[in-house]
Amino acid sequence: MRALRDASGLTGDSVARRASMSAGKLSKIETGKVRQTVQDVDLVLTAIGVSEEVKEEFLAAARAEATEATAWRLLRRTGPWKHQRTIRAIESTPSIGSRRWRSTTTS
């Protein structure tokens, strides 16, 4: 996003004001020191004035990142052992995990 802001010719302070956030927060978002939310991305790109096409690309990436972060947070919260237990149960089900495929051709 920093490259887009630089290309727009706007300063960090002016973009931050237009996006209703502090210049410090914008700087941390641009440098990756804090995780950006989908709303942050939307506000900043609107403040910069990018096209809707570019905006949608960035928003899709931000949504994907948020989804992945939520999945990892959930995994850490519930613990990997629960997921491993579920996988073990699926693999031990005769119809799924230990099915032996027989050849359908005859010699």
Side-chain angles (χ1 to χ4, degrees), residues 7 19 26 36 40 44 56 67 78 81 107:
L26 177 62
Q36 61 197 16
D40 291 336
V44 171
E56 279 308 312
T67 300
T78 60
W81 60 90
S107 302

Side-chain angles (χ1 to χ4, degrees), residues 28-77:
K28 288 175 184 173
I29 289 171
E30 289 179 341
T31 58
K33 291 183 179 178
V34 297
R35 185 177 310 277
Q36 61 197 16
T37 66
V38 175
Q39 183 180 9
D40 291 336
V41 173
D42 188 28
L43 289 170
V44 171
L45 295 177
T46 300
I48 293 171
V50 300
S51 69
E52 286 300 315
E53 184 178 318
V54 171
K55 191 176 187 180
E56 279 308 312
E57 277 185 54
F58 275 84
L59 288 173
R63 286 184 196 102
E65 183 181 330
T67 300
E68 185 174 340
T70 300
W72 279 109
R73 204 169 31 251
L74 179 62
L75 180 62
R76 279 195 310 268
R77 186 180 311 135

Side-chain angles (χ1 to χ4, degrees), residues 18 21-22 25 55 57 60 68 70 82 90 101 105 107:
R18 290 179 183 188
M21 64 177 62
S22 70
K25 180 177 181 177
K55 191 176 187 180
E57 277 185 54
E68 185 174 340
T70 300
K82 289 182 181 178
I90 291 169
W101 297 98
T105 61
S107 302

